[in-house]
C-alpha cells in the first residue's frame, strides 16, 4: 500500500509539473502572439472596450451610440479601466503602455484558455489527445489572430472554454465543480449574452442527468447566476448612473428586433459555406473525419447546435463563432491522437505550412495601415506642447481613437449614428461626406474649424487632392494598409498636414 501511495504522489507531482510547464509556455507564446498581431480587424476591439475604458479612466474618449442607449455593459471595459488607473497612479500612463498592456492582459487570459483546453481534452479523452488538442489550438490561424484582441468575443471564448473544464461531463468520473462552471458560464453571458447559445443546452443536459436537480437549480444555478448578474448591474449602475439590464437590451435590439441586420445581412448558410471553413482553415480537414468518432458526439452536437442557432441571425461575422473554435480543436486533436505515425507527421506538416503563413500575413500585413497611422500620430502629437487637431476622413471607426493616442488634442471622425429616432430623410455624417467629398470639405473649412492633420484612404486622393492643396495641406505620411482594397477602404492610408502659417499663405478663392 505504501508503494502505491508513493506512486500516486509521484504521478501527481509529475502532472503538476507538466501543467506548470504548459502554462509557462502558453503564456510566453501568447505574449509573443500579442506583438505579432499589428493589424486591425473589427472596430469593436477599440471602440467597445479600450476607448470606453479610456473615457472611464481619464474622462477623455468617445462613446458610440450603443453606450448612450445602454446596449453595452461596462464589465469588460472596467477591467482595462482598472489597469489604466493603476498606470496613472504611478505616473506610467504612457500611450505605448496604454496600447500594449491591455493586449498583454488579454493574451494572459487566452493563455489560460490554452491550458484549460489541454486539461479538458485530457480529462475527456486522455493525455495523448490533450497534447494534440493543444497543438491544434495554438496552430489555428484564427485563434492566433483573435487571442490577443480586446474583443468581448475573445473573452467570451476564454470564459466558455474554462467553464467547460469544470462542466460535469458524463464521460469522466474525475473531479468537476458545477459552481465554478456556472460562474464562468454566467461571466461569458455577461460579456456577450449570445454565449447562452452554448450554455443553455449544456445546463439542461446536466439537469436531466442530475439526481439532485432541484438542489442544483436553487442552490447553485440561481444563486451563482444571480450574483454575477447583480455584480454586472452594479458596475453598469456606477457608470450609467442608473439601473439598467444591458444583457436584455442587447438581446432585444439584436435578436428580438433584429436591428443587427442594419450592419449587414448574410444568407442563412453563410456560416456553413464561409464562416466555419474560414475560421477552421486547414483544421477542417481533421475535424470532418474526427466528427465521426463516437466519443466526440457531445462536442459535435454542441458545435452543430451553435452553428445552427447563429445561422438564424441575419447579421453574421467570423468572430461570432469564436467560442466554437476550441470545441473543434478537441475534435481535431482527438482524431490525430488515434491516427498512425505517418498521418500524424503529415498532419503536423499540413497545419504548420498552411496556418503559419496565414497567421503572420493577417497579423503583420493585412489591414495594418490604420494602426500604423495612429502610431505615427501618437509620436507627432506627443512631441508638441499644444498638439494640433486631427480629422479622420474614413469610414467611421476605421482607426483606434483616444485610447491609442492618449492626447488632449481635438480628434474628429465621420460619424455614422443610426437613425434611432426615425427621422425623415436622415443621412449620417459619413454618408453625407462620401456623397460629395469636395463640397463637404469646403463647408468644413469655411466653418473656421482649424485642423492640423487629415487622415484618409488613398481612394479619396483623386477627389480631394486639389481641395487639400488649396486649403494649405501637404502630404506628410503614407502607410500600406491592404492588398485587397474594397469600396471606401483603400490600399494605403495617407496623412496630410497644414500649419497655421500655411493657412495665411494659401490662395484666396
Amino acid at each position: 500500500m505504501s508503494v502505491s501511495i508513493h506512486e500516486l504522489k509521484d504521478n501527481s507531482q509529475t502532472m503538476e509539473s507538466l501543467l506548470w510547464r504548459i502554462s509557462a509556455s502558453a503564456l510566453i507564446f501568447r505574449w509573443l502572439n500579442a506583438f505579432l498581431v499589428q493589424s486591425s480587424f473589427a472596430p469593436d476591439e477599440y471602440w467597445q472596450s479600450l476607448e470606453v475604458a479610456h473615457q472611464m479612466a481619464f474622462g477623455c474618449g468617445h462613446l458610440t451610440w450603443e453606450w448612450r442607449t445602454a446596449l453595452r455593459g461596462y464589465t469588460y471595459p472596467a477591467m482595462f479601466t482598472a489597469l489604466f488607473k493603476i498606470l496613472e497612479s504611478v505616473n506610467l500612463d504612457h500611450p505605448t503602455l496604454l496600447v500594449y498592456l491591455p493586449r498583454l492582459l488579454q493574451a494572459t487570459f487566452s493563455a489560460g484558455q490554452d491550458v484549460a483546453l489541454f486539461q479538458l481534452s485530457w480529462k475527456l479523452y486522455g493525455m495523448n489527445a490533450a497534447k494534440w488538442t493543444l497543438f491544434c489550438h495554438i496552430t489555428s490561424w484564427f485563434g492566433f489572430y483573435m487571442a490577443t484582441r480586446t474583443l468581448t468575443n475573445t473573452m467570451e471564448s476564454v470564459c466558455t472554454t474554462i467553464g467547460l473544464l469544470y462542466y460535469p461531463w458524463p464521460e469522466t468520473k474525475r473531479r468537476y465543480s458545477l459552481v465554478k462552471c456556472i460562474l464562468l458560464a454566467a461571466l461569458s453571458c455577461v460579456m456577450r449574452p449570445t454565449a447562452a447559445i452554448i450554455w443553455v443546452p449544456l445546463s439542461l443536459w446536466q439537469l436531466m442527468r442530475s439526481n439532485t436537480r432541484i438542489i442544483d437549480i436553487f442552490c447553485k444555478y440561481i444563486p451563482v447566476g444571480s450574483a454575477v448578474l447583480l455584480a454586472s448591474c452594479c458596475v453598469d449602475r456606477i457608470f450609467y448612473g442608473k439601473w439598467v439590464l444591458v444583457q436584455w437590451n442587447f438581446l432585444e435590439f439584436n435578436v428580438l428586433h433584429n436591428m443587427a441586420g442594419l450592419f449587414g445581412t448574410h444568407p442563412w448558410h453563410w456560416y456553413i459555406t464561409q464562416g466555419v471553413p474560414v475560421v477552421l482553415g486547414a483544421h477542417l480537414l481533421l475535424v470532418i473525419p474526427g466528427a465521426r468518432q463516437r466519443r466526440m458526439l457531445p462536442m459535435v452536437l454542441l458545435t452543430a447546435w451553435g452553428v445552427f442557432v447563429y445561422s438564424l441571425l441575419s447579421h453574421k461575422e467570423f468572430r461570432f463563432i469564436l467560442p466554437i473554435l476550441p470545441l473543434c480543436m478537441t475534435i481535431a486533436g482527438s482524431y490525430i491522437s488515434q491516427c498512425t505515425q505517418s498521418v500524424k507527421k503529415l498532419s503536423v506538416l499540413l497545419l504548420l505550412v498552411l496556418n503559419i503563413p496565414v497567421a503572420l500575413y493577417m497579423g503583420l500585413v493585412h489591414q495594418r495601415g490604420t494602426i500604423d497611422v495612429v502610431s505615427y500620430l501618437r509620436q507627432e502629437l506627443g512631441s508638441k506642447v499644444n498638439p494640433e487637431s486631427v480629422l479622420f476622413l474614413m469610414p467611421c471607426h476605421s482607426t483606434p481613437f483616444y485610447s491609442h493616442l492618449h492626447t488632449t488634442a481635438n480628434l474628429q471622425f465621420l460619424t455614422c449614428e443610426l437613425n434611432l429616432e426615425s427621422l425623415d430623410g436622415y443621412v449620417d455624417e459619413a454618408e453625407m461626406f462620401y456623397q460629395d467629398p469636395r463640397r463637404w470639405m469646403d463647408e468644413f473649412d469655411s466653418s473656421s474649424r482649424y485642423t492640423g492633420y487629415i487622415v484618409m484612404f488613398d481612394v479619396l486622393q483623386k477627389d480631394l487632392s486639389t481641395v487639400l492643396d488649396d486649403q494649405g495641406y501637404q502630404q506628410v505620411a503614407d502607410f500600406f494598409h491592404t492588398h485587397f482594397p474594397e469600396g471606401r477602404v483603400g490600399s494605403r492610408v495617407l496623412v496630410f498636414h497644414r500649419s497655421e502659417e500655411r493657412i495665411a499663405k494659401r490662395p484666396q478663392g
Side-chain angles (χ1 to χ4, degrees):
M1 179 63 70
S2 59
V3 174
S4 62
I5 292 176
H6 285 304
E7 288 177 349
L8 288 173
K9 287 183 177 180
D10 291 341
N11 187 57
S12 176
Q13 291 174 352
T14 301
M15 292 300 104
E16 184 176 346
S17 175
L18 175 62
L19 286 178
W20 275 110
R21 292 198 303 272
I22 290 176
S23 299
S25 300
L27 185 61
I28 294 172
F29 175 76
R30 289 305 177 192
W31 281 1
L32 177 64
N33 188 170
F35 291 102
L36 290 176
V37 174
Q38 301 176 18
S39 59
S40 61
F41 174 49
D44 283 7
E45 65 183 298
Y46 314 113
W47 292 85
Q48 305 299 350
S49 56
L50 299 183
E51 188 68 17
V52 179
H54 194 274
Q55 198 278 336
M56 294 162 68
F58 305 109
C60 180
H62 181 89
L63 297 183
T64 60
W65 63 270
E66 292 99 327
W67 298 92
R68 297 195 295 274
T69 53
L71 283 178
R72 299 281 184 171
Y74 280 95
T75 303
Y76 185 60
M79 180 175 68
F80 302 115
T81 302
L83 177 62
F84 290 167
K85 295 300 287 186
I86 291 173
L87 291 174
E88 182 187 34
S89 67
V90 292
N91 295 319
L92 288 177
D93 54 323
H94 188 276
T96 302
L97 292 179
L98 297 183
V99 171
Y100 283 101
L101 287 186
R103 291 165 61 179
L104 289 174
L105 180 59
Q106 184 59 63
T108 302
F109 286 117
S110 293
Q113 180 186 32
D114 293 331
V115 177
L117 185 62
F118 170 81
Q119 291 179 281
L120 172 64
S121 184
W122 179 13
K123 182 169 71 172
L124 296 180
Y125 314 117
M127 176 60 73
N128 195 27
K131 292 178 180 178
W132 284 107
T133 296
L134 180 60
F135 175 77
C136 287
H137 197 239
I138 64 175
T139 56
S140 165
W141 82 265
F142 193 70
F144 185 90
Y145 188 58
M146 292 288 293
T148 64
R149 297 189 183 275
T150 50
L151 285 160
T152 53
N153 308 90
T154 306
M155 202 62 187
E156 171 198 6
S157 179
V158 168
C159 291
T160 297
T161 302
I162 300 176
L164 291 174
L165 173 62
Y166 295 108
Y167 182 78
W169 298 94
E171 291 89 345
T172 178
K173 300 296 183 180
R174 298 189 184 186
R175 293 178 58 189
Y176 64 87
S177 173
L178 184 58
V179 171
K180 291 181 181 178
C181 175
I182 296 171
L183 174 63
L184 288 155
L187 282 173
S188 65
C189 291
V190 163
M191 298 295 172
R192 284 189 67 84
T194 48
I197 293 173
I198 286 180
W199 286 111
V200 167
L202 282 176
S203 299
L204 293 175
W205 187 34
Q206 185 274 324
L207 290 172
M208 289 172 57
R209 294 181 287 108
S210 175
N211 295 323
T212 57
R213 61 177 63 95
I214 300 300
I215 296 176
D216 290 346
I217 292 174
F218 289 99
C219 296
K220 296 179 181 178
Y221 278 96
I222 293 179
V224 175
S226 299
V228 172
L229 184 60
L230 179 60
S232 172
C233 288
C234 288
V235 172
D236 292 330
R237 171 69 177 81
I238 293 172
F239 294 103
Y240 277 117
K242 60 182 180 180
W243 290 104
V244 293
L245 187 59
V246 296
Q247 289 76 22
W248 169 253
N249 294 343
F250 180 90
L251 288 173
E252 182 182 36
F253 182 88
N254 289 292
V255 180
L256 300 182
H257 294 165
N258 197 30
M259 298 295 283
L262 295 173
F263 303 104
T265 59
H266 302 79
W268 66 268
H269 56 77
W270 187 84
Y271 280 124
I272 300 173
T273 57
Q274 296 185 52
V276 172
V278 169
V279 167
L280 292 184
H283 289 84
L284 184 62
L285 300 176
L286 302 172
V287 171
I288 292 176
R292 300 173 184 174
Q293 302 173 87
R294 183 177 180 82
R295 65 177 183 173
M296 301 308 302
L297 183 60
M299 290 297 180
V300 172
L301 291 177
L302 194 57
T303 300
W305 167 257
V307 173
F308 169 73
V309 177
Y310 275 113
S311 296
L312 298 178
L313 305 177
S314 59
H315 180 60
K316 301 174 178 65
E317 295 186 35
F318 294 112
R319 61 189 173 106
F320 291 170
I321 56 173
L322 181 61
I324 294 175
L325 181 63
L327 304 180
C328 293
M329 295 304 100
T330 62
I331 298 173
S334 174
Y335 172 73
I336 298 177
S337 69
Q338 296 183 329
C339 290
T340 62
Q341 200 64 27
S342 59
V343 174
K344 288 179 180 178
K345 291 180 180 179
L346 181 61
S347 299
V348 170
L349 181 63
L350 176 75
L351 295 181
L352 293 179
V353 169
L354 295 183
N355 280 292
I356 291 179
V358 176
L360 294 178
Y361 177 80
M362 295 297 291
L364 295 174
V365 180
H366 182 60
Q367 295 185 170
R368 68 168 297 150
T370 52
I371 304 301
D372 289 340
V373 73
V374 173
S375 299
Y376 168 80
L377 291 171
R378 188 162 59 241
Q379 294 177 354
E380 287 289 300
L381 299 179
S383 64
K384 299 177 181 179
V385 177
N386 296 310
E388 299 164 287
S389 59
V390 182
L391 172 62
F392 294 90
L393 296 178
M394 315 170 89
C396 62
H397 311 132
S398 291
T399 69
F401 214 47
Y402 281 101
S403 65
H404 276 49
L405 292 172
H406 195 50
T407 179
T408 57
N410 179 34
L411 307 181
Q412 303 170 76
F413 69 100
L414 300 173
T415 60
C416 53
E417 305 288 329
L418 292 183
N419 185 16
L420 298 176
E421 298 178 1
S422 301
L423 300 175
D424 293 333
Y426 174 81
V427 179
D428 65 58
E429 185 179 27
E431 190 60 37
M432 192 177 301
F433 166 79
Y434 280 103
Q435 287 177 358
D436 194 340
R438 295 183 184 182
R439 179 182 177 183
W440 191 95
M441 280 295 295
D442 286 336
E443 293 177 352
F444 181 87
D445 189 60
S446 63
S447 67
S448 299
R449 291 183 286 179
Y450 167 71
T451 300
Y453 293 92
I454 284 182
V455 182
M456 67 184 194
F457 285 114
D458 57 353
V459 292
L460 287 173
Q461 192 169 19
K462 181 179 179 180
D463 290 330
L464 294 181
S465 58
T466 302
V467 176
L468 291 172
D469 186 62
D470 290 345
Q471 293 181 5
Y473 286 97
Q474 287 184 320
Q475 183 176 327
V476 293
D478 180 340
F479 300 97
F480 169 80
H481 183 62
T482 178
H483 290 111
F484 308 99
E486 182 179 5
R488 296 171 178 175
V489 177
S491 60
R492 308 194 73 82
V493 177
L494 310 179
V495 182
F496 294 83
H497 177 258
R498 71 172 175 181
S499 62
E500 294 186 19
E501 291 77 12
R502 283 185 59 81
I503 296 177
K505 295 179 180 179
R506 68 178 180 165
Q508 300 297 316

